[in-house]
């Protein structure tokens, strides 16, 4: 994101506009004070505290060994052998709303598609996700405001949960990773749809792609829900085309330019086309995904190789656990 910021500042200075190559109106957009992303962080931390309170490790049988950090009493963690991420048991997560295919489809508990986004498997899981959210989300909210970034975050998390439920039946899934990947996807599409206002746009795009590929690569290890990452990324990527479109250069200053130099359209033609295509794909994708899910369709029956996107078995680990 730092490369993108630098590109826009440079473009703005060379073209005589504001920080992003625009006039005063764009400078106002840059003045957004981020509050929604910090609120999301506070909410996830609060939910994790509730998880540990409900879990109450000392009151449970301990077949895997004693609780970790017993000085925390009720808030102590399950044994490392049971949860290496320092958190509650799987049964606690399932009780509080983790994504679980059988209960989602056969018990009509569709609310799990939303609640799973706010739960985390452990303290380590929570810290990694929240630090990433602050690093990525705050800067995006400063640029585009709370409404657009909030929509992208929530719908990306939802999209990740839908894909995960379609393709991952034998495990529970929790975490904000799908929503985080949605923000990364939105950064990529924002760069593409506003391509003409960047200077070092190719370098910025390559930097983003390297970060995304590395993170998706990590998702090929066991016990990481890469389907949520992929579903979140695709949702955020399409939402970025719809919500993060910017007026073409010169639109904000059109009244200060001579008639021959004025632009007549707020957006370029390719921006309009991208907006329409992305919106249609979003509607179709969510509709098909939800219909398949609640009809009990197993996505793996229609994609026999998709399980390799979530975990690649090797001689060192198995993907069956």
């Amino acid at each position: 994101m730092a490369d993108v910021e630098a590109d826009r500042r440079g473009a703005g200075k060379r073209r005589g506009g504001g920080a992003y190559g625009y006039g005063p109106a764009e400078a106002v957009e840059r003045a957004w004070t981020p509050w929604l992303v910090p609120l999301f962080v506070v909410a996830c931390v609060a939910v994790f505290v509730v998880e540990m309170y409900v879990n109450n490790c000392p009151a449970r049988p301990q077949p895997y060994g004693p609780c970790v950090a017993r000085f925390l009493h009720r808030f102590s963690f399950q044994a490392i052998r049971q949860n290496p991420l320092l958190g509650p048991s799987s049964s606690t997560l399932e009780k509080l709303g983790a994504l679980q295919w059988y209960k989602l489809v056969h018990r009509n508990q569709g609310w799990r598609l939303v609640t799973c986004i706010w739960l985390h498997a452990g303290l380590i899981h929570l810290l990694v996700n929240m630090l990433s959210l602050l690093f990525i989300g705050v800067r995006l909210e400063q640029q585009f405001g709370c409404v657009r970034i909030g929509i992208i975050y929530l719908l990306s998390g939802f999209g990740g949960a839908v894909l995960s439920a379609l393709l991952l039946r034998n495990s529970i899934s929790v975490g904000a990773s799908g929503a985080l990947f949605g923000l990364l996807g939105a950064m990529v599409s924002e760069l593409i749809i506003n391509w003409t206002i960047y200077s070092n746009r190719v370098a910025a795009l390559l930097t983003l792609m390297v970060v995304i590929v590395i993170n998706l690569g990590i998702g090929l290890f066991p016990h990481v829900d890469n389907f949520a990452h992929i579903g979140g990324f695709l949702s955020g990527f399409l939402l970025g085309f719809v919500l993060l479109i910017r007026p073409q250069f010169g639109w904000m200053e059109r009244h200060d330019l001579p008639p021959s130099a004025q632009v007549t359209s707020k957006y370029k033609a390719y921006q309009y086309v991208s907006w329409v295509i992305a919106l249609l794909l979003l509607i179709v994708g969510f509709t098909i995904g939800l219909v398949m899910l609640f009809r009990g369709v197993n996505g793996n029956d229609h994609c026999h190789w998709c399980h390799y996107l979530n975990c690649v078995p090797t001689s060192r680990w198995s993907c069956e656990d």
Side-chain angles (χ1 to χ4, degrees):
M1 195 61 190
D3 292 338
V4 177
E5 294 270 5
D7 293 343
R8 286 177 174 168
R9 290 193 189 99
K13 291 175 182 177
R14 284 189 293 275
R15 294 175 180 176
Y20 291 91
Y22 295 119
E26 189 65 15
V28 173
E29 186 179 13
R30 281 281 294 141
W32 286 102
T33 300
W35 61 269
L36 185 63
V37 168
L39 183 62
F40 284 161
V41 172
V42 171
C44 287
V45 172
V47 169
F48 183 71
V49 171
V50 172
E51 289 177 35
M52 299 313 304
Y53 178 84
V54 172
N55 187 66
N56 193 10
C57 180
R60 292 170 170 266
Q62 302 302 326
Y64 297 97
C67 301
V68 177
R70 292 183 65 88
F71 63 89
L72 294 174
H73 303 292
R74 188 183 185 110
F75 296 93
S76 56
F77 309 114
Q78 294 296 129
I80 295 295
R81 286 181 58 198
Q82 184 176 10
N83 188 340
L85 296 176
L86 300 179
S89 66
S90 296
S91 60
T92 297
L93 291 172
E94 191 172 334
K95 177 181 179 180
L96 292 176
L99 188 64
Q100 207 276 338
W101 177 83
Y102 182 83
K103 291 188 175 181
L104 180 68
V105 175
H106 295 288
R107 298 283 183 85
N108 297 317
Q109 296 179 0
W111 46 269
R112 290 180 179 271
L113 291 169
V114 177
T115 55
C116 68
I117 303 170
W118 305 98
L119 297 169
H120 285 83
L123 183 62
I124 297 174
H125 188 203
L126 177 72
L127 287 176
V128 170
N129 274 356
M130 293 305 98
L131 289 175
S132 300
L133 177 56
L134 286 172
F135 180 75
I136 298 170
V138 166
R139 303 187 69 155
L140 282 173
E141 189 177 350
Q142 285 175 334
Q143 292 181 34
F144 297 103
C146 61
V147 174
R148 286 182 283 182
I149 298 308
I151 292 173
I152 292 173
Y153 181 86
L154 295 174
L155 285 183
S156 296
F158 182 80
V162 170
L163 186 62
S164 179
L166 278 170
L167 295 168
L168 196 65
R169 288 196 166 195
N170 299 322
S171 304
I172 65 171
S173 178
V174 295
S177 300
L180 286 170
F181 267 82
L183 295 181
L184 285 172
M187 290 169 68
V188 174
S189 55
E190 188 272 330
L191 177 60
I192 294 172
I193 199 168
N194 301 316
W195 189 254
T196 57
I197 71 172
Y198 289 86
S199 54
N200 298 325
R201 48 199 174 223
V202 175
L205 181 60
L206 288 176
T207 301
L208 281 174
M209 295 309 299
V210 168
V211 171
I212 292 164
V213 169
I214 290 174
N215 281 277
L216 288 175
I218 294 172
L220 298 177
F221 287 87
H223 309 303
V224 179
D225 186 1
N226 218 23
F227 292 134
H229 296 171
I230 296 170
F233 177 82
L234 292 175
S235 300
F237 181 72
L238 294 174
L239 284 164
F241 284 112
V242 176
L243 296 176
L244 303 186
I245 186 172
R246 292 181 183 272
Q248 63 171 309
F249 174 72
W251 176 257
M252 298 298 184
E253 301 91 347
R254 64 191 183 281
H255 298 301
D256 301 323
L257 298 174
S260 59
Q262 290 182 5
V263 295
T264 57
S265 176
K266 186 174 183 179
Y267 302 109
K268 290 183 175 291
Y270 81 90
Q271 290 178 301
Y272 284 112
V273 173
S274 300
W275 188 92
V276 172
I277 292 175
L279 183 60
L280 289 175
L281 288 175
L282 271 171
I283 295 172
V284 171
F286 274 112
T287 301
I288 293 177
L290 289 171
V291 169
M292 289 178 63
L293 178 60
F294 287 105
R295 284 186 175 181
V297 175
N298 187 344
N300 293 289
D301 293 338
H302 301 275
C303 182
H304 299 291
W305 54 267
C306 281
H307 62 279
Y308 291 115
L309 296 175
N310 188 58
C311 180
V312 176
T314 71
S315 59
R316 293 181 177 271
W317 63 70
S318 170
C319 296
E320 298 301 324
D321 298 332

